[in-house]
Amino acid sequence: MKSYAIVLAAGKGTRMKTDLPKCAYPLLKKPMIAYIVENLKNTELIDETIVVVGHKKEVIHNILNNSVSYAIQEEQLGTGHAVKMAKELIVDQDGLTAILPGDMPLIDEFVLKAALDKHQKANHDLTIVTTVVEDPFGYGRIIRNGDNVIDKIVEENEASPLEKEIKEINTGIYIIKNNILFETLDKVNKDNSKGEYYLTDIVGILKSENALIGTYILKTSYKAMGVNDLYALSIAESKLRHDINMRLMKSGVAMINPDTITIGHNVVIEENVTIYPNTYITGNSLIKKGAAIGPNTEIHHSYIGENVSCKHSLIFNSTIQEESKVGPFAHLRDGANVGPRNRIGNFVEIKKTSTGYNTKASHLAYLGDAEIGDNVNFGCGAITVNYDGTNKYKTIIGDNVFVGCNANLIAPIEIHDDSFIAAGSTVNKNVPKGTLAIARAYQVNKENYMNLKDKKKK
Ligand code: UD1
Ligand code: CA
C-alpha cells in the first residue's frame, strides 16, 4: 500500500505583494517549500511526494529539482482544484494521501507522523489536522456538531459572525484514503465568495455521505502557522530561530544575546561552542567543539574545526581547520581552505586557496588561487596577483616561506621551500628553494637635498 503526499505550491501569493512565488520565500535562507518536503521525507512514512506547481513553476522546480514529482496547475482555481491536478500520479487506490499547504514552514515531522498514525489506527476515511489559536482570522473554522464531531469547515469569507468566534482552525493538513479522494473532489463546486474550488468543502461532502472523519488536534499551534504575507514570514522566521537556538543551547552551545543570533535549520554545532552576538550561520555548516564564533560573523556552507575562533568575519563555502584564528574583518570566499593553527587577520581576503599548518597572514593580504604550505608568513599587504583581466593563474608556495610586506607575487608562479621574498618586491619569476628574492629598485639617497631646495625658494 502506497502513501502519497501532495504539497500545494501553485499559488501566486497575492498577499506577499511581490513576484516570487510564495512557497519559494526563504526562512533562515532556506525556501519554505524545502522545509515541508524535507520534513515529509523525515517521517519515513511517505513513498512519493507530489508538489503542485503553477505560478512561476520553474522557481519551485529549481529548489526541489528531482527530489519530488510534479503536477501542474495552469490556472489557480483554488486548493480543491490544485489537488485534482495530482490525480494521474496517484495510482494505488488502497493507499492514502496526506495533503499539505506549501506555505506552512514550521510544521515538523513529529506532527506529521502523529497525524498519520492516528489516521491509520482509527481507520478514518479523512483526518483533518486542526489547532486552537488566539486569533483565528483568515483561517477556515472547524464547525463541530452537538456530539463534538466535525461537520464542515467554513472559510473566513463565508463565516457568520458567530462562526468567526470559533478558535479551532483548519491547519490545511488532511490525510485521506485514495479511493475517495478524487470522486469527492469532483463534487466540489465554486459557489462561494471567491469563486474558487475550496478543498475544505470535501469535509461537508464526506460528512453527508457518512464517511468516518476525525481530527488530530495540534497542541503547539504556532507550528501550523500559514505564511500569507511578509509580516507572517518574519514572525515564522523568528519562531524558527528561537526553536533552533533553544535546541542548540540545551545541547551545550553557549549563546550570548541569542535574539541576535541566527542559525540555519541544517547547521550542526557541537557542544562547548560559544556564539557571540550578531552572528549568522547558515547552509550545511558544521562547527566543531570548542569553537568561538562572532560577534558580527556570517558563515555559510562552511566547516569550522575544533577550537577555531572567528571574529567579525565573512566565511562562505570554506573550511577552517582546528586551532586557527580568523579575523577581525577577514573574508573567506568560495573555496578557502585554511589549515590548522593558522592566523588570518585583519582585512585579509582568501579565495580558492589552501594553506598548510601554522601559516599566517595577519594583516591586509589577498590570497587567491593559491596552494600554500606550512609555516608560511605573509607580511602586511602581500598579494597574489592572480588575474590579468582575462584569465586567472595559480600561485604555489612551499613550506617555511617568508613573504615580506607589500610583496606582489605575479601568477603563475612557484615559490619553493625556505625562501624569502623581500618586502616591496614584485616577483614574476619562480623562486628556488632557500633563495632570497629581491625585486625592487635600489634606494638612492640624495644627501642635503632638502636644504638646497629650501635655499632656492628664498
Ligand atoms: C487555506 C484553507 C484554510 C486554512 C488555511 C491554513 C482553503 C480553501 N482554505 O487558506 O481553511 O485554514 O489554508 O493555512 O483551502 N494553492 C494552489 N493553487 C490554488 C490555490 C492555492 O496551489 O489554486 C496553494 C498555495 O500556493 C498555498 C496553499 O495552496 O501554498 C494554500 O493556499 P492559500 O491561498 O494560502 O490558502 P489560505 O487562504 O491560507
Ligand atoms: Ca495560506
Side-chain angles (χ1 to χ4, degrees):
M1 220 170 52
K2 214 168 158 183
S3 300
Y4 297 84
I6 301 178
V7 183
L8 306 182
K12 181 170 183 293
T14 313
R15 290 164 279 185
M16 297 303 253
K17 315 259 185 220
T18 57
D19 224 24
L20 192 67
K22 177 166 66 175
C23 303
Y25 267 89
L27 282 82
L28 310 183
K29 292 195 181 166
K30 177 169 160 175
M32 271 200 253
I33 188 81
Y35 287 94
I36 296 158
V37 168
E38 191 177 298
N39 286 329
L40 276 167
K41 194 170 165 221
N42 288 345
T43 64
E44 295 180 346
L45 295 172
I46 300 294
D47 301 301
E48 187 175 351
T49 296
I50 300 157
V51 178
V52 183
V53 292
H55 174 74
K56 295 218 164 161
K57 52 183 180 288
E58 63 287 352
V59 178
I60 305 288
H61 194 271
N62 283 341
I63 295 166
L64 302 172
N65 299 307
N66 296 328
S67 62
V68 296
S69 310
Y70 295 93
I72 296 170
Q73 186 192 28
E74 294 292 354
E75 237 187 316
Q76 282 72 61
L77 301 178
T79 46
H81 180 256
V83 175
K84 264 185 161 182
M85 302 300 110
K87 185 172 177 178
E88 266 155 36
L89 296 168
I90 296 188
V91 289
D92 184 345
Q93 285 293 306
D94 293 332
L96 62 80
T97 296
I99 303 170
L100 299 93
D103 63 351
M104 188 202 256
L106 301 183
I107 203 74
D108 62 41
E109 69 204 68
F110 307 106
V111 175
L112 299 172
K113 263 187 185 163
L116 283 160
D117 192 51
K118 180 162 184 192
H119 176 82
Q120 274 168 317
K121 286 204 174 120
N123 198 23
H124 292 157
D125 293 309
L126 167 68
T127 304
I128 303 151
V129 180
T130 74
T131 194
V132 176
V133 293
E134 250 331 285
D135 178 11
F137 179 81
Y139 290 102
R141 308 297 203 282
I142 303 296
I143 313 294
R144 291 180 184 269
N145 63 24
D147 298 329
N148 208 28
V149 174
I150 184 162
D151 256 348
K152 58 177 177 175
I153 297 175
V154 178
E155 289 301 294
E156 177 77 35
N157 284 351
E158 271 67 47
S160 69
L162 213 60
E163 288 168 334
K164 281 186 179 157
E165 296 291 311
I166 295 171
K167 293 196 155 129
E168 187 184 5
I169 58 119
N170 169 28
T171 64
I173 301 176
Y174 319 78
I175 302 157
I176 186 165
K177 286 183 178 165
N178 291 344
N179 63 358
I180 54 167
L181 173 58
F182 294 102
E183 68 186 62
T184 312
L185 282 172
D186 283 339
K187 294 173 192 156
V188 173
N189 62 39
K190 49 180 182 171
D191 298 341
N192 52 54
S193 61
K194 282 192 177 170
E196 286 184 358
Y197 295 96
Y198 288 167
L199 177 57
T200 45
D201 284 356
I202 62 171
V203 180
I205 294 167
L206 285 170
K207 178 74 190 174
S208 69
E209 295 171 354
N210 294 319
L212 183 59
I213 306 174
T215 53
Y216 174 83
I217 306 176
L218 172 65
K219 291 197 184 71
T220 43
S221 61
Y222 75 91
K223 289 190 179 169
M225 177 179 178
V227 171
N228 294 321
D229 56 35
L230 291 172
Y231 176 65
L233 182 72
S234 81
I235 301 286
E237 190 175 52
S238 63
K239 295 264 189 214
L240 186 63
R241 177 191 300 122
H242 178 267
D243 283 2
I244 292 171
N245 288 358
M246 185 173 68
R247 167 174 60 77
L248 287 168
M249 285 186 274
K250 287 187 174 178
S251 75
V253 175
M255 293 191 179
I256 315 299
N257 201 355
D259 287 347
T260 69
I261 295 172
T262 299
I263 312 289
H265 195 243
N266 297 94
V267 173
V268 176
I269 307 184
E270 294 187 351
E271 59 190 27
N272 198 22
V273 166
T274 305
I275 318 253
Y276 292 92
N278 300 323
T279 292
Y280 290 77
I281 309 177
T282 51
N284 291 323
S285 295
L286 169 60
I287 317 289
K288 300 290 285 178
K289 57 183 178 226
I293 313 291
N296 305 318
T297 292
E298 204 175 323
I299 297 177
H300 184 66
H301 266 320
S302 295
Y303 169 90
I304 310 293
E306 279 184 27
N307 301 321
V308 163
S309 110
C310 302
K311 289 180 181 165
H312 303 272
S313 291
L314 305 175
I315 296 152
F316 301 110
N317 305 310
S318 294
T319 64
I320 303 172
Q321 301 298 335
E322 67 275 9
E323 312 288 338
S324 286
K325 290 191 163 49
V326 171
F329 313 113
H331 185 183
L332 274 54
R333 292 205 278 131
D334 299 349
N337 294 313
V338 172
R341 228 174 230 290
N342 278 217
R343 170 87 190 89
I344 307 298
N346 312 260
F347 304 103
V348 174
E349 179 176 342
I350 306 187
K351 184 216 74 168
K352 277 198 191 140
T353 288
S354 63
T355 65
Y357 174 82
N358 195 39
T359 281
K360 298 187 175 77
S362 298
H363 347 257
L364 300 161
Y366 173 66
L367 308 175
D369 302 303
E371 269 171 42
I372 299 165
D374 300 342
N375 302 312
V376 174
N377 188 88
F378 289 91
C380 180
I383 286 171
T384 55
V385 183
N386 61 331
Y387 185 48
D388 63 4
T390 314
N391 295 309
K392 301 254 166 76
Y393 300 97
K394 269 200 106 153
T395 299
I396 296 175
I397 302 178
D399 298 336
N400 312 314
V401 171
F402 188 96
V403 180
C405 289
N406 264 355
N408 298 309
L409 311 177
I410 301 186
I413 192 165
E414 287 184 36
I415 318 281
H416 291 272
D417 294 353
D418 310 316
S419 53
F420 193 110
I421 311 294
S425 293
T426 294
V427 292
N428 60 359
K429 290 196 209 85
N430 292 347
V431 177
K433 182 172 173 13
T435 301
L436 165 65
I438 309 179
R440 62 187 185 213
Y442 280 105
Q443 181 170 336
V444 178
N445 282 353
K446 299 203 170 176
E447 284 177 21
N448 221 12
Y449 176 80
M450 297 312 283
N451 284 342
L452 290 171
K453 214 165 119 185
D454 284 350
K455 270 183 199 154
K456 261 191 188 165
K457 266 190 200 160
K458 283 169 196 164

